[in-house]
Amino acid sequence: MTDAPRLMRIALDPSEMEEWTAAMTTVLAEEEMPVEIAPAGTPDAEIDYLVYNYDSGVHDFAPFARLRAILNTWAGVEAVVGKIAWPEHVPFCRMVEPGLTEGMVEYFAGHAMRYHLDIDRFQANSAAGRWDKWSPPLARDRTVGVLGLGALGRATAERLVAMGFRVTGWARSAKDIPGVTCHHGAEGLMALLNSAEILVVILPLTPDTTNVLNAETLAYLPEGACIINAGRGPLIDDDALLAALASGHVRHATLDVFREEPLPQAHPYWRHPGVTVTPHIAAVTRARTACQAITAQIRRDLAGQTLCHIVDPVRGY
Ligand code: NAP
């Protein structure tokens, strides 16, 4: 007699269901997982694994009495932490998958290069018919600071090192990353900001990180610094950034995330010459590679191992 397969439910935004169900069906079959997508109508109490995001509309985990793990399809968890409770014995896992990570690394690498080479300057010179023989410094003479050294920040910092930049990083806890000068804690933040000509922001949103970039901290940046934020909108005090842009202390900002999304049409970031708005596309979870990351988590559970990337509701990420 064989054990009955474990049951999985996919609970995502309705627009994502078809793609994810197809990808998961393929991956479960390819990997011969002892897991089935639960047929429609299966009671919540019979579900073992919940592939989940907040936009599914599932905001109460209590009926899922047999749950072994909640596998979030997003890296960010601020929509859930502190708002929806889940049983202490059920791991709630953030999404870490290669497609998402590679996308984020490419976003930061591309926008950092735009600033490093000052591509906008040549665009303006071309438009004005101006032969301006300015040439950028080498990457080895340019410092890029990375706020957040988790799954996404660390991979970004490593890529920036490979591109030749001087790279500094900041996290909550001490880190040792080859080629990266790592800081932590409040003093570490000031040290990083002091030298960051290009500032990459990839922190999670928690009570501790809200408005981490404000009038006081932005003042530590070197004159003319550029900022790339793909973490979350409320990491930056918008009024302070607009003031820093107006004074020229911050030269330019590329912003992917905002307090309100879509960014309201009346917001001063739209059409601001010092701001590039991207519509929360820096990196997206790719269904195929994400399903493989999810089956890897389930294999760990079936082997009695602790899952990876478990959210700590007290820490907030
Ligand atoms: P992660 O692995 O949890 O890493 C978070 C990093 O932030 C860690 O290095 C952590 O420090 C650091 N951190 C947290 N609180 C801090 C504090 N108070 N002071 C200093 N450092 C702090 O998260 P991730 O997977 O890299 O994702 C980061 C964020 O990216 C997500 O939360 C989400 O908001 C955002 N995101 C955006 C997009 C997009 O398309 N725009 C896509 C995916 C994710 P420790 O290492 O010491 O814990």
Side-chain angles (χ1 to χ4, degrees):
M1 210 175 90
T2 54
D3 289 339
R6 302 279 187 187
L7 290 182
M8 168 191 286
R9 175 166 301 154
I10 301 176
L12 307 178
D13 182 279
S15 66
E16 300 174 296
M17 289 300 292
E18 194 181 326
E19 183 191 5
W20 277 75
T21 305
M24 187 59 84
T25 303
T26 304
V27 171
L28 289 176
E30 274 175 2
E31 300 185 6
E32 297 178 8
M33 293 290 292
V35 177
E36 276 177 9
I37 299 175
T42 304
D44 295 347
E46 291 177 19
I47 301 299
D48 298 292
Y49 300 109
L50 191 62
V51 176
Y52 175 79
N53 68 39
Y54 183 85
D55 285 352
S56 62
V58 176
H59 297 159
D60 179 11
F61 298 124
F64 294 86
R66 200 169 90 181
L67 213 50
R68 301 179 62 80
I70 304 168
L71 301 153
N72 204 42
T73 64
W74 298 344
V77 293
E78 76 284 351
V80 175
V81 174
K83 295 168 186 101
I84 305 179
W86 62 91
E88 228 169 273
H89 69 276
V90 177
F92 185 110
C93 301
R94 297 179 303 103
M95 176 53 68
V96 176
E97 63 95 4
L100 180 69
T101 305
E102 283 167 38
M104 190 60 85
V105 167
E106 289 175 13
Y107 180 88
F108 282 128
H111 288 280
M113 264 303 179
R114 168 190 175 188
Y115 289 139
H116 171 59
L117 299 176
D118 204 349
I119 289 170
D120 293 7
R121 175 184 184 131
F122 295 105
Q123 187 66 37
N125 286 344
S126 297
R130 198 164 38 231
W131 186 262
D132 162 25
K133 270 180 77 71
W134 175 83
S135 106
L138 293 175
R140 72 161 82 114
D141 296 320
R142 175 84 74 194
T143 302
V144 184
V146 181
L147 298 184
L149 293 172
L152 302 174
R154 184 188 176 113
T156 299
E158 288 171 343
R159 176 68 63 85
L160 292 167
V161 168
M163 289 163 72
F165 289 108
R166 288 191 302 228
V167 182
T168 61
W170 184 66
R172 208 169 51 96
S173 56
K175 295 272 181 290
D176 186 4
I177 304 173
V180 180
T181 305
C182 295
H183 302 279
H184 65 283
E187 281 174 23
L189 176 61
M190 304 317 158
L192 179 141
L193 294 176
N194 251 314
S195 66
E197 295 163 90
I198 300 170
L199 184 67
V200 161
V201 186
I202 189 63
L203 290 161
L205 181 63
T206 70
D208 289 339
T209 61
T210 302
N211 289 330
V212 64
L213 291 178
N214 52 46
E216 187 195 338
T217 52
L218 287 172
Y220 281 89
L221 288 169
E223 200 66 18
C226 295
I227 297 174
I228 313 166
N229 180 23
R232 284 293 181 258
L235 297 171
I236 301 183
D237 175 333
D238 293 325
D239 291 339
L241 177 57
L242 287 164
L245 286 162
S247 71
H249 183 66
V250 170
R251 175 160 69 88
H252 203 277
T254 294
L255 307 174
D256 187 57
V257 282
F258 306 91
R259 282 188 156 71
E260 189 182 339
E261 295 180 5
L263 183 65
Q265 268 306 316
H267 199 285
Y269 287 150
W270 283 122
R271 292 168 276 274
H272 192 301
V275 176
T276 296
V277 170
T278 60
H280 202 143
I281 48 73
V284 294
T285 304
R286 319 268 158 170
R288 180 62 186 242
T289 40
C291 287
Q292 290 164 338
I294 286 169
T295 52
Q297 291 276 48
I298 293 176
R299 265 197 304 279
R300 265 181 221 108
D301 176 60
L302 295 173
Q305 297 164 356
T306 306
L307 302 199
C308 303
H309 319 301
I310 298 176
V311 173
D312 176 344
V314 176
R315 217 176 47 168
Y317 65 99

